[in-house]
Amino acid sequence: MKPKIWLSAPHMGGKELQYIQNAFAANWVAPVGPNIELFEQKLQTYLGHNMHVSAVSSGTAALHLALIILGVKAGDEVICQSLTFSGSANPIAYQGATPIFIDSEENTWNMSPEYLEVAIKDRLSKGKKPKAIIVVHLYGMPAQMDAIMDIARTYDIPVIEDAAEALGSRYKGRQLGTFGDISILSFNGNKIITTSGGGAIVSANEAYIKQAKFLATQAQDPAPHYQHSQIGYNYRLSNIAASIGCGQMEVLTDRILQRRSNFEYYKNAFAAIKEIQLLEEPDEDYYSNHWLTTFIVDSDILMREDLRLALIGQNIDCRPVWKPMHLQPVFAGAPYYGADVSEKLFKNGLCLPSGSNISDAELHTVTSVILHTATAVLQAESTKMYAL
Ligand SMILES: *Cc1c(COP(=O)(O)O)cnc(C)c1O
């Protein structure tokens, strides 16, 4: 068996162990400690725009806290991009609320502003005002934030920005994760930087972040004994995981440049095959960290599955694009507004190995398998046509 080429593997910078050693030396092996605060400070500095940050145990936990802070309760409705990872939508169900799913648009693959507005108008006409809008920046590509924020402000609905895949991406020069009323980040093992598992909740509203810290540490009221007047959660990031995050923040800029260079490599390699269309920045307003390089296969002859199976056969990790949430059995029956854009992206889309530690030789192997397979399939068909 050939050695595996991974989709997006962890990539340590070298300083992580030093931060962990400091934590051990001071015996901060706990969900409190100085490296949690240091990691939060580093994130705040990086994001700018006077953001406040609380580090938590996962991106999903951050999203759950965001919904609680915005007052989402059982029976409420929350709007959510359909094309995403289940971590974006599951917290809606944790609260006993109903997700209202929205299709994507073709330029960024993210939430369609058009269908967002259609959905809001229709829910209002049914007497239900959605409590929040969860917009996702898939694969690092910024969503159409101006249009989405305009609609959200018009109807006075708070926005939660799911920037789990998009740390370091920018829209009109501004860091993603700073647009929403609340934003979330993820540091899971496959993300652009990792804490082995972790996340953060981000907001310009300091009171929200204070509340997030309170809820994430079991909602302990100020008292000498354990006193609780609210349900709390054990969602704080550990000081050891935060130590990894401190080291990773030192190399974030390099990681972004490497992933962007992976994208350029693939783009050049596939330039001659018009059936392969990469997810690209629509114009200079968009700056993607290119967390994963993704493309759709637009052809009646060459199928996404031809390429996916050829790659898997060579022990190369690759994935179809996210299966839309409105097509997931667990969310069957949830309202959906849109056409078939997200469905088509799921059917024809593929994510390529995109780690920042992928080697040139590995990139060469991946592109060779794709080029070879695509050429073979397309040529077999044209030979058939000449034979007729
Ligand atoms: C990874 C991810 C999450 C969840 O983050 P975890 O840290 O894994 O809980 C949420 N949304 C999106 C879009 C993600 O990619």
Side-chain angles (χ1 to χ4, degrees):
M1 190 79 138
K2 294 185 180 161
K4 184 159 181 143
I5 300 180
W6 295 94
L7 192 75
S8 179
H11 186 184
M12 293 301 105
K15 291 279 199 67
E16 293 82 1
L17 269 177
Q18 221 168 293
Y19 283 103
I20 292 175
Q21 270 159 2
N22 295 343
F24 269 69
N27 204 27
W28 284 113
V29 187
V32 289
N35 285 350
I36 302 177
E37 279 147 49
L38 183 59
F39 182 46
E40 289 172 341
Q41 265 169 28
K42 284 175 181 280
L43 285 166
Q44 270 171 220
T45 306
Y46 184 80
L47 293 170
H49 299 278
N50 301 314
M51 290 293 132
H52 301 271
V53 174
S54 174
V56 293
S57 54
S58 72
T60 309
L63 203 45
H64 188 198
L65 293 174
L67 292 174
I68 296 167
I69 290 164
L70 293 176
V72 173
K73 295 194 175 66
D76 286 340
E77 295 187 346
V78 174
I79 288 179
C80 183
Q81 184 168 322
S82 184
L83 188 73
T84 187
F85 175 55
S86 64
S88 306
N90 282 339
I92 302 171
Y94 300 167
Q95 285 307 95
T98 303
I100 310 290
F101 291 118
I102 309 292
D103 203 0
S104 292
E105 39 82 13
E106 280 159 342
N107 289 327
T108 72
W109 299 11
N110 293 311
M111 184 179 277
S112 154
E114 183 195 338
Y115 283 110
L116 170 63
E117 188 156 30
V118 169
I120 294 172
K121 283 182 173 161
D122 191 54
R123 300 327 288 179
L124 288 173
S125 80
K126 291 181 162 67
K128 276 269 193 187
K129 182 174 172 181
K131 284 304 248 331
I133 298 166
I134 301 173
V135 59
V136 189
H137 309 291
L138 284 183
Y139 307 117
M141 184 61 68
Q144 292 185 5
M145 288 314 286
D146 276 355
I148 287 165
M149 295 309 292
D150 276 354
I151 295 165
R153 297 298 176 237
T154 300
Y155 294 93
D156 192 29
I157 303 173
V159 169
I160 301 172
E161 224 191 317
D162 180 346
E165 302 176 2
L167 179 59
S169 297
R170 297 194 288 265
Y171 177 75
K172 294 195 170 171
R174 183 175 171 134
Q175 293 285 351
L176 297 188
T178 67
F179 288 84
D181 295 272
I182 301 182
S183 305
I184 72 104
L185 300 169
S186 167
F187 311 110
N188 210 327
N190 60 357
K191 299 289 156 73
I192 193 151
I193 58 166
T194 184
T195 58
S196 72
I201 177 165
V202 178
S203 179
N205 184 332
E206 192 172 7
Y208 283 172
I209 297 307
K210 274 201 179 134
Q211 207 186 341
K213 284 184 190 169
F214 171 73
L215 291 170
T217 49
Q218 301 289 22
Q220 298 182 30
D221 294 338
H225 55 278
Y226 285 98
Q227 172 84 18
H228 308 274
S229 42
Q230 268 188 78
I231 294 294
Y233 302 84
N234 181 5
Y235 278 172
R236 200 70 166 130
L237 190 68
S238 91
N239 192 60
I240 301 304
S243 303
I244 303 175
C246 290
Q248 290 271 280
M249 282 305 288
E250 295 185 9
V251 291
L252 174 57
T253 303
D254 288 345
R255 300 299 181 257
I256 296 164
L257 294 176
Q258 184 60 50
R259 296 218 184 216
R260 286 179 60 84
S261 125
N262 294 340
F263 170 84
E264 288 302 325
Y265 185 99
Y266 284 129
K267 187 180 161 177
N268 290 331
F270 304 146
I273 301 190
K274 66 175 192 328
E275 288 82 1
I276 293 180
Q277 295 167 5
L278 286 112
L279 171 60
E280 292 194 60
E281 293 153 345
D283 58 54
E284 56 277 12
D285 287 346
Y286 297 79
Y287 180 88
S288 172
N289 67 12
H290 283 300
W291 172 56
L292 297 185
T293 295
T294 57
F295 64 78
I296 50 167
V297 184
D298 183 15
S299 167
D300 295 330
I301 300 153
L302 179 66
M303 296 293 128
R304 187 276 310 277
E305 282 303 272
D306 294 329
L307 302 179
R308 190 181 70 83
L309 294 171
L311 290 166
I312 296 292
Q314 299 297 314
N315 208 18
I316 297 170
D317 203 7
C318 61
R319 304 278 162 79
V321 163
W322 301 119
K323 179 170 181 173
M325 290 301 120
H326 73 279
L327 301 178
Q328 298 286 359
V330 73
F331 291 121
Y336 170 71
Y337 294 85
D340 58 357
V341 174
S342 60
E343 243 168 281
K344 281 190 177 149
L345 292 169
F346 168 57
K347 180 165 173 270
N348 301 321
L350 193 66
C351 306
L352 293 176
S354 304
S356 47
N357 44 9
I358 196 168
S359 68
D360 287 350
E362 287 172 323
L363 284 171
H364 180 76
T365 304
V366 176
T367 48
S368 305
V369 172
I370 290 176
L371 291 173
H372 182 265
T373 309
T375 314
V377 172
L378 293 166
Q379 267 176 6
E381 183 66 19
S382 63
T383 316
K384 247 192 279 170
M385 279 168 48
Y386 287 125
L388 285 175

